[in-house]
């Protein structure tokens, strides 16, 4: 449930957003959030409609290692916008699918929204897709099966395209590489969806696949209480450098060089890379988390899922890992079973 004591902690920071995670040389960021000796000043914030903007609880926040970090994002002022409806893509006897846009700070982000038939109020869920090269990305791509299954089950579904994708405003390279910008977009998507009159703001969830699993974990540590439950599919690592070295270094070394020029290297600035890893702050998560992962995942190694699950549990999170024997990263023969588990989990957790 939404925490009633949400306040906004004002601190503007530069855009930043990227993909990945591995262990930093010369540092063990740990599985618990570092503590801060200073408590940030807090002031209540309201959205454009006068609704309090959930950003972070008023307890002590972890220190900020760099303006491009999750602790810096925890201090941002997130303000809800209204969803703008565009073209109707599809109408069935169960839902209507729209092209939509919403605001994420100063940017406009596009997406796909599925509204169930009826008056509601319906539980809401935001979907965060995995990595697809932005130049080739099509609106709503990446979680098409999940969109339909969840809408059929009675959920209002908002699939965010992220900045720099489809009809969204452009994203800077550093914003893409750190994934902080995508995290902003996911948080703002929840705030926008819950303002719709047919959505129950007290029953909100988030689901992310692959890279979107990392975005979802980021959102949970940045804004505990924003949603009431979360699901991650075949997620990337919860440690930023694992992903950077596994995905980006072999395929796009020039991007890694540019990132090191901007942030420093993992050896010279280990605290910066720990600050981009949601695992460093798992003890801030207040929502139950269901994870699905194949033991033969060819893209995101299965040990990542095991390590993330153990770290979540050690941090006191209500975490559950479902393992699929012989499945692939994209899920094929066991997808329906995983979706049945997801819908059961969400219905139970959202009441």
């Amino acid at each position: 449930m939404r925490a009633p004591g949400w306040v906004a902690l004002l601190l503007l920071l530069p855009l930043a957003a990227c993909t990945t995670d591995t262990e930093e040389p010369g540092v063990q960021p740990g599985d618990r959030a570092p503590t801060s000796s200073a408590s940030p000043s807090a002031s209540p914030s309201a959205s454009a409609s006068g609704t309090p903007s959930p950003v972070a609880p008023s307890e002590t926040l972890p220190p900020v290692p760099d303006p491009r970090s999750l602790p810096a994002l925890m201090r941002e002022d997130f303000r809800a916008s209204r969803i703008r409806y565009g073209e109707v893509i599809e109408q069935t006897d169960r839902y209507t699918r729209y092209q939509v846009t919403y605001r994420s700070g100063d940017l406009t982000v596009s997406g796909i929204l599925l509204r169930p038939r009826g008056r509601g109020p319906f539980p809401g869920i935001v979907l965060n897709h995995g990595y697809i090269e932005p130049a080739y990305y099509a609106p709503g791509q990446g979680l098409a099966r999940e969109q339909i299954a969840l809408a059929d089950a009675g959920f209002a579904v908002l699939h965010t395209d992220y900045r720099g994708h489809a009809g969204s405003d452009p994203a800077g390279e550093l914003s893409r590489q750190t994934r902080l910008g995508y995290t902003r977009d996911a948080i703002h998507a929840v705030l926008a969806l819950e303002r719709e009159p047919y959505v129950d703001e007290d029953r909100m969830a988030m689901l992310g696949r692959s890279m979107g699993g990392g975005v979802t974990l980021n959102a949970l540590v940045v804004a505990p209480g924003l949603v009431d439950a979360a699901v991650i599919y075949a997620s990337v690592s919860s440690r930023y450098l694992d992903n950077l070295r596994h995905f980006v270094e072999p395929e796009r070394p020039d991007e890694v060089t540019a990132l090191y020029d901007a942030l420093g290297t993992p050896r010279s600035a280990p605290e910066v890379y720990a600050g981009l890893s949601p695992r460093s702050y798992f003890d801030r998560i207040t929502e139950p988390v269901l994870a699905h992962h194949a033991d033969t995942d060819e893209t995101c190694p299965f040990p990542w899922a095991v390590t993330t699950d153990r770290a979540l549990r050690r941090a006191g999170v209500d975490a559950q890992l479902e393992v699929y024997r012989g499945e692939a990263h994209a899920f094929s023969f066991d997808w329906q079973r995983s979706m049945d588990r997801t819908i059961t989990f969400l219905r139970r957790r959202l009441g």
Side-chain angles (χ1 to χ4, degrees), residues 38-199:
S39 178
S41 59
S43 59
S45 174
S47 68
S49 65
T51 303
S53 168
V55 178
S58 57
E59 81 273 5
T60 300
L61 294 174
V64 177
D66 186 90
R68 289 74 51 101
S69 67
L70 291 168
L73 207 59
M74 294 169 193
R75 293 161 165 84
E76 281 202 16
D77 179 21
F78 293 88
R79 296 176 179 269
S81 72
R82 294 309 299 260
I83 292 173
R84 290 182 173 270
Y85 289 77
E87 177 184 351
V88 173
I89 302 171
E90 178 187 19
Q91 284 186 311
T92 74
D93 59 353
R94 299 178 305 279
Y95 60 83
T96 302
R97 188 202 306 255
Y98 301 88
Q99 289 185 346
V100 298
T101 60
Y102 65 94
R103 298 290 291 176
S104 180
D106 294 333
L107 302 182
T108 295
V109 176
S110 64
I112 299 295
L113 187 145
L114 289 80
R115 173 179 175 170
R117 293 285 187 178
R119 298 181 60 184
F122 305 104
I125 186 165
V126 166
L127 304 188
N128 302 318
H129 66 80
Y131 181 81
I132 301 170
E133 173 56 44
Y136 305 107
Y137 176 87
Q141 187 177 354
L143 288 165
R145 297 176 298 179
E146 289 79 3
Q147 293 173 34
I148 294 171
L150 289 163
D152 282 345
F155 289 82
V157 181
L158 176 55
H159 178 288
T160 176
D161 291 331
Y162 306 134
R163 60 190 63 195
H165 293 69
S168 303
D169 286 341
E173 186 61 28
L174 188 60
S175 175
R176 291 180 59 233
Q177 287 301 331
T178 61
R179 301 300 186 242
L180 296 177
Y182 298 169
T183 303
R184 289 183 177 93
D185 300 339
I187 292 171
H188 280 110
V190 173
L191 298 179
L193 181 60
E194 68 182 7
R195 290 189 66 189
E196 294 303 294
Y198 57 86
V199 175

